[in-house]
Amino acid sequence: MDASGPAFTSLPPGPRWPRVVQLAAWLSRPLELMEHLRARYGMPATLRFPRWPAMVSFDDPEAIKDIFRGSSDDLHAGEANEPLRPIVGSNSLLLLDGERHLRERKLLLPPFHGARMTRYAEVMRDVTLADLARWPLDTPFAVQPRTQAITLDIILRTVFGVEQGSKQETLRAALEALIGDFSRPSLMVEWLHRDLGPRSPWGRYVRTRARTDALIYGEIDARRARPRPGEDIFSMLLEARHEDGAPMGREELRDELITMLVAGHETTATALSWAFHHLIEHPSVERRVHEELDRVMGDGPIDPERSGELVYLDALIKETLRVIPVISAVGRVLHAPTTVGGIELPAGVVAVPSIYLTHRNPKIYPRPERFEPERFLETKPSPYEWLPFGGGVRRCIGMAFALYEMRIVLATVLWRHRVRRAPGASHRPVRRSVTMAPAGGTPIILTRR
Ligand code: HEM
């Protein structure tokens, strides 16, 4: 990619602020920036950052369809995900494009097939119950650290195949530190990567990464030396074979394991945190969830096999991911002139489906700012209208996993409990790395039903 970004004059309009100011706005207040673009310039609109190609954002399903259905040879998502390279590594599915991306994706997809989800259901429920036992009753606490702990444990057990014990604790601490250090927005910017010693943000991060990598490589070597067949995704990747019959390499395995952790942990934890936020803001929604849980699960315990019958809970999850999507935009770097929504875009620019603005497009969702799960009971939006997991050949491979996990975690918590608003609860979304999370981590009060 041309790092300086091509200087087109005929792109859709956008702010004339210095590029560094546009970048600062994107890092600090991306949702407000997108709203501003639409209000001031209409859609599509163009943003320009230093040392990055021009980015043209869209909120119209026809344009989104052109982007998601375009040729993967000409539209490169891997290049647009470049800021994640320092954490996920060069072999990560997130960073690959074209043929190599399609081949690697084929290798990673089988463990995420919808039908396999029931195998992970018990782990999801048991991890939630174990954590829930430690949640205080009738006292305010922030729920996001708890959802982070739950989704991390679920990934450690279902993806890494690590059972409880000292090894799990060591790996968990290392991975938490890795993600924590990387979540500073400034680390998304390549030219700020300067190792000025262990106290500087980048210096600290590279040291944490070296420690975590040593643990993961140790685990890869141990599992290769003493293979143990298992249901976890790591075991399946160890057995997976490329088309030429070769197994996945050591770095490839490391990069894909970290990719799943990075892509799947914070995203799902944040989505759960938003779901609790909407539940405390809308007691009538919580009442409907309770009615449905009582009807479907009876006296329980939560039966994952019947969780598919929780249609209102499913609508709540979909509306949660619509109203404030955890990832607010995805991008594709164009390698050939491409027509998007009737506009001819030149090669070199980034076409951006704005997930947030599409989900807030009143032509698709009447009163888009309102939280109304019922809209998903009445209609089923197309993949170009509801896109919290991106789309096309790049659509999130963990979508079925994440939706299932959210359903099991929420059903398990709400089965015997109510959630109420606690002081300090805030609507304000703040950036945590690539995700938009509720400020203050959603303080709640948990009471028994
Ligand atoms: C609520 C939770 C989640 C959300 C909102 C989410 C969202 C996304 C988005 C927006 C993309 C980019 C898609 C695109 O460019 O079109 C993506 C890609 C990806 N996600 Fe997720 N994700 C979630 C959970 C997970 C989980 C649980 C995993 C795995 C354990 C996962 C693994 C991946 C991977 C590997 C990719 C790269 C796919 C590719 O480039 O082909 N995600 N996700």
Side-chain angles (χ1 to χ4, degrees), residues 123-189:
V123 173
M124 291 171 176
R125 186 189 57 196
D126 295 349
V127 165
T128 311
L129 281 173
D131 206 81
L132 183 60
R134 300 205 300 267
W135 295 18
L137 280 176
D138 307 314
T139 312
F141 68 100
V143 85
Q144 172 108 11
R146 301 314 333 142
T147 58
Q148 296 265 138
I150 291 174
T151 60
L152 181 56
D153 263 354
I154 291 175
I155 293 226
L156 280 174
R157 290 181 57 185
T158 57
V159 175
F160 286 74
V162 186
E163 290 301 324
Q164 263 146 342
S166 61
K167 196 196 263 180
Q168 192 210 32
E169 280 315 308
T170 317
L171 192 58
R172 160 192 263 281
L175 294 173
E176 266 177 336
L178 184 78
I179 292 191
D181 285 358
F182 195 72
S183 66
R184 290 162 188 264
S186 66
L187 292 193
M188 305 296 292
V189 182

Side-chain angles (χ1 to χ4, degrees), residues 266-407:
E266 178 113 1
T267 44
T268 317
T270 302
L272 281 166
S273 187
W274 278 120
F276 282 110
H277 170 85
H278 298 305
L279 282 162
I280 58 174
E281 294 296 322
H282 301 90
S284 63
V285 169
E286 192 199 37
R287 267 197 301 281
R288 267 193 91 167
V289 174
H290 279 142
E291 277 163 25
E292 185 178 70
L293 279 171
D294 292 345
R295 186 160 28 82
V296 175
M297 298 295 171
D299 283 339
I302 297 300
D303 175 1
E305 300 236 324
R306 298 198 63 188
S307 66
E309 294 169 45
L310 299 171
V311 289
Y312 188 75
L313 184 60
D314 190 54
L316 171 137
I317 291 168
K318 292 199 169 113
E319 179 70 342
T320 297
L321 291 165
R322 178 195 72 81
V323 79
I324 302 180
V326 169
I327 294 182
S328 44
V330 290
R332 308 287 186 259
V333 179
L334 302 186
H335 278 245
T338 308
T339 306
V340 176
I343 293 179
E344 177 85 9
L345 292 179
V349 306
V350 190
V352 176
S354 170
I355 302 176
Y356 175 72
L357 289 181
T358 310
H359 286 184
R360 296 281 180 123
N361 184 340
K363 287 191 212 131
I364 313 171
Y365 300 102
R367 303 173 308 277
E369 66 297 337
R370 289 213 204 156
F371 182 80
E372 290 172 350
E374 287 72 15
R375 49 175 117 231
F376 286 93
L377 297 176
E378 290 146 17
T379 51
K380 189 174 181 294
S382 81
Y384 315 110
E385 295 170 329
W386 187 77
L387 45 139
F389 296 94
V393 290
R394 304 304 299 228
R395 198 184 73 182
C396 173
I397 63 168
M399 173 170 151
F401 187 99
L403 291 173
Y404 198 73
E405 180 176 355
M406 289 182 72
R407 213 186 299 151

